[in-house]
Every structure is written in C-alpha cells, then in structure tokens.
Amino acid sequence: MLVDFKTLPDNSRVWIYQANRSFTATELEEINAELKDFISEWTAHGSELKAGFEIRYNRFIVLALDQAVTAASGCSIDASVHFIQHLEKKYNVTLLDKMNVSYKQGDYIAYKPLTDFKKMAKEKAVSKNTIVFNHLVANKGEYLEHWEVPASESWHSRFM
C-alpha cells in the first residue's frame, strides 16, 4: 500500500540507496512511476506493506516501511533488492555498493570510493565538518535527524 512518505511514522524502517550519479529529469519521472508501481504491489506473505519513498538530491532513493502494520519479511526485502537491481541495470547506475561515500562539497554531492575518502581525510581535503550522508540510519526518525550530518557525528569520523 503506497502512502505519502511524510505520513509514515518516525519508527518506520528505512533503506537508503545512493546512486553514483544524479538522475536526469526524465529518469526521475520514470523512477518515480516505477517506485509507485513497485510499492503498490509490495507484500510480505501476501499482506500489503504500508510504505512510501522519496528521492533526495536527485540521487538517493529512500524507501520507508511502517512495520507496525506489517513487518518486512525476507522475501519482501529480497523483492525490494531485486527491484533496485532492476533500476541499476535499466539506468546504468550503481545503487547497492555500500563501499562508497557521498558527501557535500558546497551545493554539489560528491561520490567517492571509501578508499579515496580515507585518503582525502588524511590529506585534509575533507574534515570533521564535511557534511556526509550516514546510510546506517535504521528508521525514518534517524533519517530525518542523523542522515545528513557533519562527519564528526557519523561513522565517517574514524577517518578524521
């Protein structure tokens, strides 16, 4: 059951997929339509899942699920991963590689392999004040409060 992302409670589970590039306006229209279709049909053991999504900065796909209604199952999580893999192939984009870091450079979102980010931290090209995207947040409340934070407030701090 597709619902507006904003209406989901803060304890809703979230999954964040970062793209290695920004989506074009045409791609965003298509991806929005595909996400709506997927979530409208997304189930766990035959039960509807109350879920929503948003796309941030034209490159982060955020899925949220109200588990108080119906919890995600292994099969439903697998279905969402297969859907994201479909998007990767269709749009020739990386969404599932967790060994990359996204961070802000002014108004620009940079995307680097973790090894490059570590090197940049050693060279002081990024600092503890650099705004990073912490994809380890588990629920919507954490996402809203602790997803976009200075590196010093994230797991990225170990490299500073």
Side-chain angles (χ1 to χ4, degrees), residues 1-9 12-17 23 27-42 49-66 80 83-84 87 140 143-144 147:
M1 166 188 357
L2 175 65
V3 299
D4 185 330
F5 183 89
K6 293 178 182 115
T7 66
L8 290 165
S12 296
R13 185 170 177 183
V14 294
W15 294 268
I16 302 169
Y17 302 98
F23 294 112
E27 289 172 333
L28 285 169
E29 278 185 45
E30 293 173 5
I31 292 167
N32 268 289
E34 289 192 61
L35 280 161
K36 288 176 184 175
D37 289 345
F38 170 73
I39 292 173
S40 294
E41 301 295 321
W42 197 20
L49 294 174
K50 183 179 178 185
F53 73 93
E54 68 177 10
I55 300 175
R56 298 281 301 273
Y57 299 110
N58 298 330
R59 71 185 315 147
F60 300 100
I61 297 173
V62 183
L63 298 179
L65 170 65
D66 184 352
S80 68
F83 172 74
I84 295 297
L87 294 178
K140 184 182 165 194
Y143 163 70
L144 294 174
W147 175 61

Side-chain angles (χ1 to χ4, degrees), residues 15-21 23 59-61 81 84-85 87-89 92-103 110-116 133-136 155-156:
W15 294 268
I16 302 169
Y17 302 98
Q18 66 179 348
N20 59 320
R21 63 169 176 81
F23 294 112
R59 71 185 315 147
F60 300 100
I61 297 173
V81 170
I84 295 297
Q85 289 171 328
L87 294 178
E88 285 185 315
K89 286 180 188 169
N92 192 27
V93 66
T94 301
L95 292 164
L96 291 168
D97 189 342
K98 304 292 186 194
M99 294 306 294
N100 295 303
V101 176
S102 293
Y103 60 96
Y111 178 89
K112 299 281 185 196
L114 183 58
T115 53
D116 290 356
F133 297 92
N134 177 14
H135 303 305
L136 298 181
W155 63 269
H156 302 86

Side-chain angles (χ1 to χ4, degrees), residues 108-147:
Y108 177 73
I109 307 295
Y111 178 89
K112 299 281 185 196
L114 183 58
T115 53
D116 290 356
F117 186 82
K118 287 181 189 178
K119 185 178 176 185
M120 291 173 69
K122 282 183 184 174
E123 295 170 351
K124 308 286 188 220
V126 293
S127 74
K128 63 182 182 174
N129 297 319
T130 299
I131 301 299
V132 295
F133 297 92
N134 177 14
H135 303 305
L136 298 181
V137 296
N139 62 48
K140 184 182 165 194
E142 289 179 11
Y143 163 70
L144 294 174
E145 296 294 323
H146 303 292
W147 175 61

